[in-house]
Structures are given as C-alpha cells and as structure tokens.
Amino acid sequence: MFIKLIARVIVTLNSNTNPVQVAAGIASGLLLALLPAGNLLWILLFLLLFVSKAHYGMALVSMAVFKLIAPAAAVPLDALGWAVLNAPALRPAFTTLYGMPIAPLTRFYNTLVMGGLLAGIVLWVPAFLASRAGVTAYRARLAPRIAGSKFARALKKVPLVSALAKAVGAAAKVAGQAD
C-alpha cells in the first residue's frame, strides 16, 4: 500500500496535471492538517476541497504528512487561538456567532481550532507558491536528470524499485496518463 502511495505521488509529479492544481492540493492539505478534525469547520473545508480544482490525491497525501508534524505546532497554535478568542474587539462578534444555531458546531471557540484555522489561512498562500515552484522546478530540471542518470538505470534493476516502477506504470494507466 505504501509503495502504491509513493507511486501515485510520482505519477502526479510527472503527469500533465497543472502545477497550480497540485500546489493547491498540497496547500489545502496543510490547512486541513492544522485543524483538529471532528468539527463542522473541518468537514466543510474538506468538502470545499472536492468542489475546487485542487488535486485531491496530493491534498490527502500532504494532509497525512502534515498531520504527523502538526502536534509539534500545537502549543503555538493554541496560543494564537487564545489571543484571537480573547481579543476584546472580537468578543461581541464571537458571542453573536456562538448564539447562532449551527456556528458552535464548527468549534470556532476552541483555541486549537481557531489557531489552526488562522495559521492555515496565513500559510496557505506561501505553501501554494512554494509547492507550485517546487513542482515546476522538479518537472523542468530534476525529473529528466533523474530518469537519465546511471544511478536510476542501475536502481531499476533492484527488485523493490522495479516493483515500484510497475506500480507507477499501473497508476499512470489507471489515471489515463500513460502513452
């Protein structure tokens, strides 16, 4: 299963998928990873991902990767959320929002949810720009060098790598991207 996941990421990076879509998926995965799951806000953002043109697979992969490192950011996210939720200027707005019928289901009043939402929104644009530049640079410079190197040709003879190459080929055929 892990090999197939790696194969799909490689296929996506080497495919004709627009780098903007891949970058939007990665940035959206970061946003979802910073938010604690199990509230209406997370569900709505997750569903919004599927009506956008973001690459779903890369969003799920990046969300999984960022979820692994998100606990390290819990303390600063909690502090950010606490600062926003306790800002005197915003208190009337949050009180009104809390009194609405569905808004409390978003758990906006939770410091981790608020901090994760704000950090995710702020980090979305830099993550998008960095991912787009990274995908474009990978496709233009790195992928051709890797494919033509002696190391890559020798590595293809290793059984695990040949299995990965077969999985990449199968994933490309399934995605309709193979020649």
Side-chain angles (χ1 to χ4, degrees):
M1 171 140 169
F2 185 68
I3 291 177
K4 287 184 182 181
L5 179 64
I6 292 172
R8 288 183 183 163
V9 169
I10 292 170
V11 167
T12 300
L13 290 176
N14 291 314
S15 70
N16 289 332
T17 305
N18 191 335
V20 170
Q21 292 174 327
V22 175
I26 293 170
S28 297
L30 171 65
L31 173 62
L32 288 170
L34 290 176
L35 277 173
N39 59 65
L40 186 60
L41 181 61
W42 192 92
I43 294 168
L44 290 174
L45 289 173
F46 186 75
L47 292 175
L48 183 64
L49 170 69
F50 287 100
V51 297
S52 71
K53 291 193 175 202
H55 194 277
Y56 315 131
M58 288 305 283
L60 295 175
V61 168
S62 69
M63 182 176 56
V65 169
F66 289 126
K67 274 286 188 193
L68 293 174
I69 57 176
V75 172
L77 292 178
D78 185 54
L80 175 63
W82 188 90
V84 170
L85 289 172
N86 287 303
L90 296 174
R91 191 165 292 162
F94 290 138
T95 303
T96 303
L97 195 59
Y98 192 79
M100 293 180 173
I102 296 179
L105 298 176
T106 63
R107 293 186 49 195
F108 72 89
Y109 53 84
N110 183 311
T111 57
L112 280 175
V113 172
M114 183 59 72
L117 177 64
L118 291 176
I121 290 170
V122 168
L123 292 175
W124 197 94
V125 172
F128 171 81
L129 294 174
S131 299
R132 186 180 66 182
V135 169
T136 303
Y138 169 79
R139 288 180 181 175
R141 297 185 197 118
L142 197 56
R145 288 184 185 171
I146 291 172
S149 71
K150 290 180 184 179
F151 178 72
R153 287 184 291 218
L155 198 59
K156 288 180 184 177
K157 295 178 183 176
V158 176
L160 178 63
V161 176
S162 70
L164 180 61
K166 287 179 185 177
V168 168
K173 286 180 186 177
V174 168
Q177 299 165 352
D179 293 342

